[in-house]
Amino acid sequence: MVSLSQIAARRGVLGGIVLAGALAVSSLSARAADDTVFIPNVVELSGAGAVSGTNWRDGITLAVEEINAAGGILGKKLNVPHLDTQSDASIARAQVQKVMDDKPYVILGPVFSGSVLVTMALAQQNEIAEIVGGEAAAITQRGNAFVFRTSFGQQFSMPKIANYIRDGLKAKSVAVLWVNNDFGKGGRDNFTKEMQARDIKVVADISTESGQVDFAADVVKLKAANADAVFVYTNEEESARFLKEARKQSLKGALIGETTLLSQKVIELAGEAANGVRGHVGLSSDAPVPALATFAEKFKKRFNYANDHNGIKGYVAVYAIKHVTEKIGKFDSKAFAEALHGMTITPDKTPGILMEATWDKNGDIDRASFLGEVVAGKQKIVEVLPKLNK
Amino acid sequence: MASFLQLLVSGLATGAIYALVAVGFSLLWQTSQTINFAQGEFVMVPAFFVLVAMHTLGLPFWLAAIVGIATAALVLGVLFKRIIVDQMLRHGVLPLVVSTIALSLFMREAVKDFYSAQAQPFPSLVADRDITLFGVVFSAQSLALLVVAVAIVAALHIFLQHTRFGRMMQATAQNPTVARILGIDVERMILTTFLVNAVLCAIASILISPIYLAKFTNGETLGLAAFVAAIIGGFNQARGAMAGGILLGVLDNLCAAYMSAQYRSAVPLILLVLFILFRPQGLMGRVEERTV
């Protein structure tokens, strides 16, 4: 017969084993955690932003694999889980909130400006740097010392495209088609401001919806406007659908874009309808920069598709983290943010940065950019534009 | 005037696609009292059957399209009926409705995981050429889409109204018990309806995907539009569903052009509410009496 004291003793032994096991597991995971640095990537892997987010994720993956294979950063391997925002700002915020519990060193993403705008305050409260793919001007105009871009903000790219419309195309009137989200609204506001400053008349101002599939009515309105040029500022999939409809209805006038309209994915999706599109490109694998071409080859080999600018943005973001961390010599989120402001990273010191880049006091990036045109289903760079502050 | 004509043609082309899908809704309801809430996904999936046939099996587009339609007939017609409808319908319409909603989610997520969340380019049946009619420039693609969709809907109408097999299908739809007494193979008629629906969805998929691009979310837009089209046209009349689809496509385009793009997605829902309130049987439908 087993007495109560024996049962209690057995339970004690069992409890001790369980406790010891738990401690062993937690010490193992603590050791594992010591060996890695947590840099979550919160990004659009489904929904309207899937094209941008997937490219961004794969650019990051490529950089992480390279860095980890070379020993990591300061001896620690990068632990970069990818969390899907579903292109929804509220989900993006929830994902960032979730990763905060595990004390990230830096947060990567999101790419959609609307999602960036709702997550960056959270990162600021926790004093964690956030490297984002969003281009809305408002992102870096809110005095948040913890947000950084890897692409041009609209306040930098729109003057470049406006100059091209005035000097290159000599257009007197322009129609604007923009997507009704934070990215599109910010772009449209900056673009129309730049048009007014150059005395170019905006004869049609057409907003479309994110994820819109039917552009027939929009193209009819653009045809009626009869502008010298049509400026298209929508996300990749909508851009491709618009170009197909524009081709279908034989829309006349130069089709001008800023980065997305000329991106590799849009060219692939729109096919022949993309031919003739012109505009400003912040980053391009077709640019006359050998490092970008090498990156494109590696990307294609690894993921079996051609990258767009978002792939480059993601790749550069991880190498910027590597450079800054090695510079400050520790994993300190606050020190990271302080150091990146005003820093210039050059490819001779950090080849993964691909092109010389400078981050200003607001977290905006400055580097060379390009004017491009789609010719026979390929993006052709026609001019290299220097850094703004050079 | 030119703009209006252009909008009209674009609206008719889109509406014809809605009509194809809406007719499927209506046929399924008439023959088997089945409301298929995965109907939008039934249009989305065949495009991926075609892409798989092209990219994995290396088939040319026209052959891949045939394979896509055949696969859709098998999977979305026969298997859907045997595995889901036959099993669930014996428990009532509500479990079947819930099952088709679950099926739509499953199909969406499965395509996303299997093929990626990104939109895929899809070849067009027609070469990229312009045709000028009445001083307005139309693309051959737009006109072909309209012609093919209208021809299929018309052929289906003739099949249902003027062939012995079509009349047997209609008899089954109107009263399966009497149809059985008259010696009609009711099960065969119902299975044929599911096959017809799957083929219509596959054709709609092949017609619409070059414009919408092949993407796992396409079914959401098309399914809702076709459902509303079927209701406003008359859920129990195939020709009503056709009319509803075309009306919706035209109104959608006119609203986006002359009112606002932001409100275009509200148009189907406003129409739906108005019809339910003032003409629940739809434009061409007949009032169904409840039997006790």
Side-chain angles (χ1 to χ4, degrees):
Chain A
M1 189 154 176
V2 183
S3 68
L4 284 174
S5 60
Q6 281 174 311
I7 292 171
R10 281 179 193 172
R11 281 194 176 170
V13 170
L14 195 63
I17 292 169
V18 171
L19 186 64
L23 284 172
V25 169
S26 67
S27 94
L28 270 177
S29 63
R31 221 176 306 144
D34 282 343
D35 294 340
T36 62
V37 56
F38 181 53
I39 304 173
N41 173 35
V42 178
V43 76
E44 293 73 12
L45 298 176
S46 60
V51 172
S52 318
T54 307
N55 258 276
W56 166 269
R57 176 198 65 190
D58 291 344
I60 286 170
T61 302
L62 190 59
V64 168
E65 286 173 357
E66 286 174 5
I67 291 169
N68 281 346
I73 301 174
L74 301 179
K76 288 192 180 195
K77 297 283 172 74
L78 308 186
N79 169 21
V80 185
H82 305 288
L83 295 96
D84 186 8
T85 69
Q86 297 173 30
S87 305
D88 183 315
S90 61
I91 296 173
R93 196 178 194 284
Q95 295 282 35
V96 169
Q97 182 74 63
K98 192 171 105 181
V99 298
M100 284 303 176
D101 295 341
D102 295 321
K103 306 268 181 290
Y105 172 47
V106 176
I107 294 170
L108 294 165
V111 171
F112 263 24
S113 297
S115 296
V116 173
L117 287 164
V118 299
T119 58
M120 60 189 240
L122 210 53
Q124 186 182 25
Q125 281 163 19
N126 289 273
E127 298 187 325
I128 307 290
E130 189 176 4
I131 304 183
V132 302
E135 296 181 5
I139 292 171
T140 49
Q141 290 172 343
R142 294 191 175 181
N144 184 331
F146 291 87
V147 71
F148 299 90
R149 296 182 203 271
T150 50
S151 55
F152 287 117
Q154 291 153 343
Q155 69 274 41
F156 296 104
S157 55
M158 291 307 167
K160 292 188 176 193
I161 195 70
N163 285 342
Y164 174 64
I165 289 173
R166 181 192 59 194
D167 306 329
L169 296 177
K170 309 220 180 297
K172 299 284 178 227
S173 64
V174 65
V176 192
L177 181 91
W178 51 281
V179 58
N180 190 12
N181 57 22
D182 290 291
F183 159 76
K185 179 84 169 61
R188 177 253 176 212
D189 292 348
N190 276 278
F191 180 77
T192 47
K193 194 176 84 185
E194 297 299 331
M195 288 295 102
Q196 280 165 7
R198 286 159 184 79
D199 213 17
I200 298 171
K201 205 172 170 192
V202 177
V203 291
D205 185 7
I206 300 167
S207 75
T208 64
E209 292 305 302
S210 181
Q212 186 170 314
V213 289
D214 190 345
F215 284 87
D218 307 290
V219 174
V220 167
K221 284 195 267 188
L222 288 171
K223 283 176 87 170
N226 200 25
D228 294 337
V230 178
F231 179 66
V232 184
Y233 202 65
T234 54
N235 296 121
E236 283 87 347
E237 285 173 16
E238 293 96 79
S239 293
R241 291 187 186 114
F242 165 77
L243 288 176
K244 280 174 161 269
E245 187 62 40
R247 174 71 195 84
K248 220 173 89 177
Q249 293 192 31
S250 304
L251 177 65
K252 303 283 183 266
L255 291 174
I256 306 299
E258 204 295 301
T259 304
T260 45
L261 193 68
L262 288 84
S263 79
Q264 189 57 44
K265 190 68 189 176
V266 173
I267 295 170
E268 180 196 331
L269 291 174
E272 285 186 11
N275 287 341
V277 164
R278 283 173 272 178
H280 176 248
V281 192
L283 285 164
S284 168
S285 300
D286 296 314
V289 177
L292 287 172
T294 310
F295 165 79
E297 272 173 41
K298 282 193 288 189
F299 191 99
K300 182 91 193 272
K301 197 173 166 195
R302 172 68 177 81
F303 301 107
N304 202 28
Y305 72 94
N307 70 283
D308 73 3
H309 62 286
N310 288 295
I312 307 173
K313 280 155 63 174
Y315 186 80
V316 164
V318 184
Y319 274 101
I321 294 172
K322 180 178 188 296
H323 181 92
V324 176
T325 309
E326 286 173 350
K327 195 92 176 165
I328 60 177
K330 57 184 175 181
F331 291 99
D332 180 331
S333 301
K334 208 172 162 186
F336 175 93
E338 281 168 10
L340 190 50
H341 286 124
M343 181 180 275
T344 296
I345 308 178
T346 53
D348 59 330
K349 299 245 170 40
T350 301
I353 209 75
L354 304 176
M355 291 167 68
E356 182 183 302
T358 302
W359 278 267
D360 70 10
K361 61 180 173 46
N362 299 318
D364 274 310
I365 195 169
D366 185 12
R367 68 177 153 219
S369 61
F370 315 94
L371 286 178
E373 184 177 349
V374 181
V375 180
K378 287 200 159 200
Q379 192 188 81
K380 187 181 160 196
I381 299 299
V382 292
E383 194 180 337
V384 179
L385 304 174
K387 280 173 86 172
L388 286 168
N389 296 316
K390 206 167 192 178
Chain B
M1 187 60 190
S3 297
F4 181 76
L5 273 177
Q6 193 95 59
L7 281 169
L8 199 61
V9 170
S10 296
L12 284 170
T14 313
I17 298 293
Y18 294 161
L20 281 180
V21 188
V23 167
F25 257 126
S26 167
L27 285 176
L28 292 191
W29 172 251
Q30 286 180 71
T31 53
S32 62
Q33 303 285 294
T34 305
I35 300 177
N36 179 19
F37 279 102
Q39 187 80 345
E41 280 63 36
F42 275 38
V43 182
M44 175 272 291
V45 166
F48 288 91
F49 289 155
V50 175
L51 290 178
V52 168
M54 284 173 70
H55 300 150
T56 311
L57 306 177
L59 301 179
F61 175 57
W62 65 270
L63 194 54
I66 294 170
V67 170
I69 292 170
T71 312
L74 178 69
V75 177
L76 308 177
V78 179
L79 294 184
F80 172 59
K81 181 182 180 296
R82 297 261 190 260
I83 297 173
I84 294 181
V85 178
D86 289 351
Q87 305 305 319
M88 299 310 295
L89 201 55
R90 69 184 67 153
H91 302 291
V93 173
L94 192 60
L96 179 62
V97 165
V98 175
S99 302
T100 58
I101 292 171
L103 179 67
S104 73
L105 289 171
F106 171 76
M107 289 165 84
R108 216 178 299 159
E109 293 305 311
V111 169
K112 187 175 94 179
D113 287 342
F114 178 71
Y115 216 97
S116 106
Q118 296 190 40
Q120 305 293 324
F122 194 88
S124 174
L125 281 170
V126 184
D128 224 354
R129 273 182 48 210
D130 294 334
I131 295 166
T132 307
L133 282 176
F134 312 114
V136 186
V137 182
F138 300 103
S139 77
Q141 197 185 52
S142 187
L143 291 174
L145 195 150
L146 179 60
V147 169
V148 171
V150 169
I152 287 169
V153 168
L156 188 68
H157 181 72
I158 292 166
F159 169 72
L160 288 174
Q161 300 292 331
H162 303 288
T163 68
R164 186 177 146 75
F165 200 92
R167 281 198 293 269
M168 287 198 292
M169 280 176 74
Q170 289 211 65
T172 306
Q174 282 161 18
N175 196 326
T177 312
V178 174
R180 207 169 269 123
I181 291 167
L182 291 172
I184 294 171
D185 186 345
V186 170
E187 264 307 298
R188 192 170 150 226
M189 293 303 123
I190 292 174
L191 181 62
T192 307
T193 310
F194 278 83
L195 280 171
V196 169
N197 177 51
V199 170
L200 286 178
C201 287
I203 292 170
S205 185
I206 289 164
L207 290 174
I208 204 78
S209 296
I211 300 161
Y212 282 19
L213 306 171
K215 192 173 180 190
F216 76 103
T217 51
N218 281 357
E220 293 170 25
T221 321
L222 286 166
L224 178 67
F227 184 64
V228 174
I231 288 179
I232 65 176
F235 217 88
N236 50 23
Q237 286 291 329
R239 61 201 164 113
M242 290 176 217
I246 287 168
L247 176 72
L248 195 63
V250 172
L251 277 180
D252 178 52
N253 267 277
L254 293 178
C255 171
Y258 297 121
M259 288 169 68
S260 158
Q262 279 100 322
Y263 295 115
R264 71 190 301 174
S265 52
V267 171
L269 300 174
I270 292 169
L271 275 175
L272 181 67
V273 170
L274 289 176
F275 269 88
I276 286 174
L277 284 176
F278 300 110
R279 195 175 165 80
Q281 74 272 32
L283 281 174
M284 297 182 184
R286 58 176 186 274
V287 179
E288 286 188 11
E289 286 176 15
R290 194 178 283 258
T291 52
V292 181

